[in-house]
Amino acid sequence: VRLAMEAAHALAYLQSAASPPIIHRDVKSSNILINDSFNAKISDFGASRLIDIDQTQVTTVVLGTRGYLDPEYFETSLLTEKSDVYSFGVLLAELLTRQPPLSLERKPEEINLATYFLKAIKEGRLLEILDPALVSEASDEEQLFDVAKLVMDCLRAKGEYRPAMREVTA
């Protein structure tokens, strides 16, 4: 969880404090590296996009990794900072469940981890899909539900309803 929060702070910095703001566009677990001090670092800025300060979105060729890709961005080619928020939500779901973002091992309608995660919450099965080691280590189940709520917020279908990365870190 600490590493995820460090990654969230880095993404929030890129979107809110960097000038010009940067949208990473390929947030995924393999792009979160751990240094010698066990701190998270964001890597692979090859797909990143600089955004003018006065812009909130840009139309661009869709880039990113399947399973992490914001469906709204995929459908419209409109890239916003909320596209990274969606990808971060998938990353959190991956950490909580120890499930890959795409898996043919799941039911056809649940191949996508985001769909699988949201469906399980809707059906009241959150604890069933979480990594058992994580559940046993948690000092309070309420913390797990709080993180799951954050994942749900990040995975909202419409970007305008997702939190900003700086809100994710709060």
Side-chain angles (χ1 to χ4, degrees):
V1 173
R2 179 182 59 83
L3 295 174
M5 287 309 295
E6 288 176 4
H9 281 286
L11 291 168
Y13 175 83
L14 291 173
Q15 293 179 359
S16 304
S19 184
I22 300 168
I23 299 175
H24 189 279
R25 214 167 29 165
D26 199 18
V27 176
K28 58 185 177 181
S29 54
S30 62
N31 284 343
I32 309 295
L33 304 179
I34 301 170
N35 68 10
D36 293 340
S37 302
F38 297 100
N39 295 314
K41 301 290 180 186
I42 304 291
S43 70
D44 192 359
F45 287 86
S48 296
R49 183 74 191 251
L50 300 174
I51 303 295
D52 289 335
I53 292 175
D54 59 339
Q55 284 184 303
T56 58
Q57 65 185 24
V58 63
T59 303
T60 182
V61 174
V62 175
L63 291 177
T65 302
R66 292 190 66 215
Y68 293 95
L69 196 58
D70 170 13
E72 188 174 50
Y73 169 48
F74 181 76
E75 291 173 10
T76 66
S77 298
L78 289 175
L79 177 67
T80 71
E81 67 177 28
K82 303 297 182 82
S83 299
D84 280 353
V85 172
Y86 182 90
S87 301
F88 184 76
V90 175
L91 172 74
L92 282 178
E94 187 179 10
L95 289 171
L96 290 175
T97 63
R98 275 207 185 156
Q99 293 279 324
L102 295 173
S103 175
L104 297 175
E105 303 288 318
R106 294 189 289 260
K107 296 177 187 175
E109 67 275 10
E110 297 175 347
I111 289 173
N112 185 295
L113 178 59
T115 303
Y116 173 71
F117 191 89
L118 294 172
K119 184 177 178 200
I121 288 177
K122 187 176 184 179
E123 295 172 353
R125 299 183 299 109
L126 175 64
L127 293 177
E128 293 175 29
I129 67 163
L130 294 181
D131 174 20
L134 181 67
V135 174
S136 68
E137 290 176 16
S139 58
D140 180 11
E141 278 186 7
E142 193 63 33
Q143 290 175 327
L144 297 173
F145 286 100
D146 289 345
V147 177
K149 168 79 169 83
L150 177 60
V151 172
M152 286 176 46
D153 289 345
C154 291
L155 296 179
R156 291 183 186 269
K158 290 203 164 279
E160 64 187 290
Y161 300 119
R162 297 178 201 142
M165 282 308 299
R166 65 185 172 278
E167 295 170 311
V168 169
T169 62

